């Protein structure tokens, strides 16, 4: 399979893309995979440095401008919700510029996928957020990236 899966068009695609083991994907791994996916799609990409203030990824192509907040797998299994809500809060605090598409980049771990599935429809339509999900690679295959819309690619 290509490392660049593309759009996950519905919740069935989203569920099928998820994995349910501890992969150890770190935030830097997620940022690198999503940046590669966006470059492959013709975006100019800027990846923020670790511990640097500001968005983790900024990307642009023609009239599309993306602002992405990334998180890796937490060390403790009970911290998935905290990671998700922290990323969402950081993204909300950056929503001060019209014309951007806002997104979260996360490992495609089943715990994160469940939270995306449970994200209220009203909130998703009121505050349009896309989700970039990264499935871990191995020695032979690079990580795979899928995008669950709002309107990111």
């Amino acid at each position: 399979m290509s490392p660049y899966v593309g759009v996950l068009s519905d919740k069935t695609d989203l569920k099928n893309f998820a994995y349910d083991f501890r992969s150890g994907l770190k935030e830097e791994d997620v940022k690198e995979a999503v940046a590669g996916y966006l470059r492959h799609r013709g975006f100019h990409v800027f990846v923020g440095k670790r511990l640097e203030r500001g968005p983790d990824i900024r990307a642009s192509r023609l009239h599309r401008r993306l602002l992405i907040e990334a998180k890796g797998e937490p060390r403790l299994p009970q911290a998935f919700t905290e990671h998700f809500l922290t990323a969402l809060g950081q993204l909300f605090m950056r929503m001060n510029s019209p014309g951007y598409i806002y997104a979260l980049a996360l490992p495609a771990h089943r715990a994160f996928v469940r939270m995306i599935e449970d994200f209220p429809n009203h909130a998703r339509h009121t505050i349009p957020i896309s989700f970039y999900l990264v499935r871990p690679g191995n020695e032979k295959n690079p990580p795979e990236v899928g995008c669950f819309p709002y309107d990111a690619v």
Side-chain angles (χ1 to χ4, degrees):
M1 184 174 262
S2 164
Y4 308 115
V5 173
V7 174
L8 305 170
S9 60
D10 57 28
K11 288 187 178 183
T12 301
D13 285 351
L14 186 62
K15 275 185 188 178
N16 290 337
F17 193 69
Y19 63 90
D20 61 0
F21 55 89
R22 299 281 297 161
S23 72
L25 272 176
K26 295 180 174 74
E27 182 173 317
E28 295 304 312
D29 301 326
V30 170
K31 287 167 34 175
E32 182 181 323
V34 172
Y37 170 82
L38 292 169
R39 286 184 186 109
H40 181 75
R41 297 192 58 97
F43 281 84
H44 297 281
V45 179
F46 172 79
V47 179
K49 292 183 172 84
R50 193 167 186 271
L51 302 177
E52 184 177 68
R53 289 184 58 91
D56 290 319
I57 301 171
R58 276 183 257 143
S60 62
R61 178 183 73 189
L62 301 174
H63 300 294
R64 292 192 171 261
R65 296 183 305 167
L66 306 176
L67 208 148
I68 302 169
E69 191 61 43
K71 289 289 178 238
E73 274 186 25
R75 289 191 181 121
L76 301 173
Q78 60 269 31
F80 277 96
T81 301
E82 180 183 330
H83 266 51
F84 184 82
L85 294 176
T86 298
L88 206 53
Q90 288 172 328
L91 191 65
F92 286 164
M93 295 304 290
R94 301 194 197 304
M95 290 182 165
N96 58 3
S97 300
Y100 277 90
I101 296 169
Y102 295 93
L104 293 181
L106 304 164
H109 190 280
R110 177 113 14 240
F112 283 134
V113 168
R114 279 191 203 112
M115 286 179 247
I116 294 167
E117 289 174 317
D118 292 344
F119 202 77
N121 283 333
H122 177 71
R124 182 172 286 137
H125 296 310
T126 305
I127 306 166
I129 297 173
S130 295
F131 297 92
Y132 289 95
L133 298 168
V134 178
R135 196 160 44 185
N138 56 39
E139 309 80 47
K140 296 181 182 178
N141 300 305
E144 298 172 322
V145 178
C147 178
F148 186 63
Y150 180 68
D151 183 26
V153 288

